Amino acid sequence: MYDIRSLKIQWASLREQLGARGADVPWDEIDTLLQDHRTQLAHTETLRHRRKQGSDNVARLQRASQPADAAIADMRALGDTIGRHEEQLREIETQLEAHALRIPNVPHDTVPPGPDASRNEEVRRWGDPPSFAFTPQPHWALGESLGILDFKRAGKIAGARFAMAVGAGAQLERALASLMLDIHTRTHGYTEVLPPCLVNQDAMTGTGQLPKFERDLFHLRDDPYLLIPTAEVPVTNLYRDEILPDHVLPIRHVASTPCFRREAGSYGQETRGLMRLHQFQKVELVAFTTPDESYAELERLTRAAESILQALELPYRVVTLCRGDLGFAAAKTYDLEVWIPSQSAYREISSCSNCESFQARRARIRFRAGSGKPDYLHTLNGSGLAVGRTVIAILEHYQHEDGSVAIPKVLQPYMNGIERLTASPRHG
RNA sequence: GGAGGGGUGCUGGAGUGGUCGAACAGGCCGGUCUUGAAAACCGGAGUCCCUCACGGGACCGUGGGUUCAAAUCCCACCCCCUCCGCCA
């Protein structure tokens, strides 16, 4: 939400609907600014009108060879006045925009109440958690003994929270991304894109990463680019500042990109393995729809993401995030949680959100129905899936007592027919 | 990185200080004509903001500046094209 115009219209209802989510929004200050803006704008425009007429008058006098010095002097004074008013107006708008960009999206009616993840609601489960006749190893142990993951050397060349896949491990990541892209493009109607992984500030503002979450992003020292934390950023921004004819909707894109996150504030958590890294590969789904189709599309997009887990025969569940766990830009989110044997828990592997018009307003992405007026469309996004976490699930789910790991059937064609990963000698 | 050219509406393309929100052409929408279509002819179409309304304001890559008045003049930046260098 929340250009100045929509703030004027729905300031009060917005405050009420956000409730605890809007706790740190300075509502009263915004209200004062809105009122100032209203009066200041009306006044400034009246003065501008007077200037237009006055300037025409000067032109008329000069054309008729009449003296215009007095009129010009008046106009000069008027111009100074207008300048002062415009400056005040700009100042008000700057402040309003700064506030508006930090107001989160309003949750959909079907989002359950609750302060944190403990109140998320399970929607459905697919598959059964396997029972092992032995104690299942965590993926990092499997990966290192198989010689397909090398955390030590990744730490040397980059630092903590970086990983490196080797041999069949690297091949596995590539195979998974290819499988996901193929399923989404061939059976779910998504069009593949390969976007830039560095974007400008406008793109980050459009999807909601800026200004509020700047500390989560990697910056470049000498250039005004930022590393994308998800392909949602470049792909959603594809149509920024455009008005799309409604017959092109829905637009569905899928992209496989690296994602970069500083993970500031998560020190000490999940420091081992592939669970939480500064860089990871993710296949992302992004959709653009008309407002009345977006919730059907959210179901469709979520099912597309689920189809990957089903193809890989990995047990998972779907949960609806409660209000307190909902992201800044989302109106409703389903998380897909895959079963992780070493933790005996379901862990997030995909997050599918309908942002409604929140991002569209920030990025000015509109559509036009027929020959009518432009309106903001709705944007959705979801992981389909996070590749690194899929590797975790496969290693752990398909492990055997001897430390070998079977390759799921659908993946074997992408792995040059390899059916099983076994430890093989390698330098170090 | 160096040299030059350019950024105007859906598109092409005029426009070097006032009557320009913008000629002209194409495309698009509606109408006339036609059995139907094409052609021809007539008409209509930008985006955004303020206002109950009447009406008013803003927008010619972006941001500043000059001026009574800027698409038009000045400055900075961004983007695109051509040539050279470099590189995958």
Side-chain angles (χ1 to χ4, degrees):
Chain A
M1 263 177 207
Y2 332 135
D3 48 284
I4 290 172
R5 181 173 148 70
S6 44
L7 271 181
K8 277 181 180 168
I9 295 170
Q10 48 180 332
W11 170 85
S13 68
L14 198 59
R15 177 178 195 168
E16 189 188 320
Q17 290 174 62
L18 281 169
R21 264 170 84 78
D24 56 350
V25 177
W27 294 106
D28 294 322
E29 191 180 330
I30 291 174
D31 187 40
T32 306
L33 285 166
L34 286 172
Q35 287 177 36
D36 289 351
H37 186 262
R38 217 184 298 264
T39 55
Q40 195 61 245
L41 181 62
H43 193 200
T44 305
E45 290 192 347
T46 306
L47 294 176
R48 281 176 180 159
H49 177 55
R50 207 177 293 162
R51 174 172 64 187
K52 260 191 176 171
Q53 293 180 320
S55 295
D56 287 348
N57 185 44
V58 169
R60 238 188 328 272
L61 288 173
Q62 290 183 336
R63 238 179 288 122
S65 302
Q66 304 271 319
D69 291 358
I72 288 176
D74 287 350
M75 286 299 104
R76 183 176 298 149
L78 179 61
D80 291 344
T81 307
I82 291 174
R84 282 195 299 276
H85 282 283
E86 286 178 336
E87 205 174 309
Q88 286 176 36
L89 194 61
R90 253 199 311 276
E91 176 60 24
I92 292 169
E93 285 175 353
T94 302
Q95 289 183 37
L96 272 173
E97 270 154 27
H99 288 312
L101 286 172
R102 290 167 185 273
I103 301 176
N105 203 356
V106 175
H108 189 251
D109 287 342
T110 57
V111 171
D116 55 49
S118 67
R119 297 288 298 281
N120 294 345
E121 288 183 359
E122 184 173 307
V123 178
R124 58 181 169 269
R125 292 188 182 204
W126 187 93
D128 297 312
S131 52
F132 290 86
F134 55 96
T135 304
Q137 298 184 63
H139 71 278
W140 64 81
L142 290 163
E144 288 187 319
S145 61
L146 288 170
I148 61 172
L149 294 176
D150 190 338
F151 297 101
K152 199 160 184 261
R153 290 195 172 98
K156 178 173 65 181
I157 59 178
R161 291 203 190 287
F162 285 91
M164 188 176 68
V166 184
Q171 198 180 351
L172 180 59
E173 282 243 358
R174 177 161 56 91
L176 280 170
S178 293
L179 171 74
M180 294 177 193
L181 288 168
D182 283 348
I183 289 176
H184 292 309
T185 55
R186 290 175 191 167
T187 77
H188 300 305
Y190 286 81
T191 302
E192 186 174 351
V193 292
L194 188 56
C197 296
L198 300 184
V199 299
N200 57 36
Q201 289 211 2
D202 288 343
M204 288 291 188
T205 305
T207 34
Q209 279 71 27
L210 290 180
K212 209 174 169 184
F213 305 101
E214 184 171 13
R215 66 179 191 288
D216 297 333
L217 302 170
F218 282 110
H219 296 60
L220 302 189
R221 194 191 62 190
D222 293 328
D223 296 286
Y225 301 121
L226 302 121
L227 277 68
I228 59 170
T230 161
E232 167 197 345
V233 177
V235 179
T236 303
N237 276 282
L238 272 177
Y239 304 105
R240 194 171 79 228
D241 290 311
E242 293 192 31
I243 301 172
L244 303 168
D246 61 350
H247 64 79
V248 306
L249 300 176
I251 293 173
R252 302 186 177 105
H253 286 310
V254 58
S256 174
T257 70
C259 302
F260 303 93
R261 301 184 180 180
R262 289 190 64 224
E263 297 295 342
S266 65
Y267 309 110
Q269 299 172 33
E270 313 258 32
T271 52
R272 295 197 76 174
L274 301 173
M275 200 66 197
R276 189 178 296 277
L277 298 171
H278 286 311
Q279 177 187 338
F280 60 96
Q281 196 72 18
K282 182 158 62 69
V283 171
E284 183 77 1
L285 304 170
V286 174
F288 304 82
T289 75
T290 58
D292 53 328
E293 288 173 331
S294 66
Y295 278 94
E297 186 71 19
L298 177 61
E299 300 301 321
R300 190 185 187 281
L301 183 147
T302 306
R303 296 288 181 177
E306 286 177 63
S307 75
I308 303 296
L309 289 165
Q310 292 174 9
L312 293 168
E313 298 179 69
L314 294 169
Y316 67 91
R317 65 173 189 169
V318 182
V319 301
T320 305
L321 298 194
C322 73
R323 292 176 63 104
D325 207 24
L326 209 53
F328 180 72
K332 181 171 186 174
T333 298
Y334 292 121
D335 269 8
L336 268 46
E337 298 181 341
V338 70
W339 180 258
I340 302 294
S342 69
Q343 300 181 9
S344 289
Y346 285 104
R347 297 297 309 271
E348 178 187 338
I349 195 167
S350 170
S351 196
C352 302
S353 300
N354 183 0
C355 297
E356 296 187 4
S357 58
F358 185 85
Q359 293 178 326
R361 265 189 278 256
R362 296 170 76 102
R364 294 164 304 279
I365 311 171
R366 290 172 292 176
F367 78 104
R368 191 197 306 274
S371 54
K373 282 277 172 191
D375 192 13
Y376 292 110
L377 49 70
H378 282 193
T379 63
L380 303 95
N381 64 77
S383 347
L385 307 162
V387 177
R389 291 192 175 180
T390 308
V391 170
I392 297 175
I394 287 174
L395 291 182
E396 296 201 9
H397 188 84
Y398 286 94
Q399 65 177 300
H400 288 73
E401 190 160 14
D402 62 1
S404 67
V405 172
I407 296 295
K409 279 190 196 65
V410 282
L411 214 48
Q412 290 174 10
Y414 292 87
M415 292 288 289
N416 298 333
I418 297 177
E419 294 176 10
R420 179 179 294 268
L421 304 177
T422 51
S424 58
R426 174 182 165 257
H427 342 286

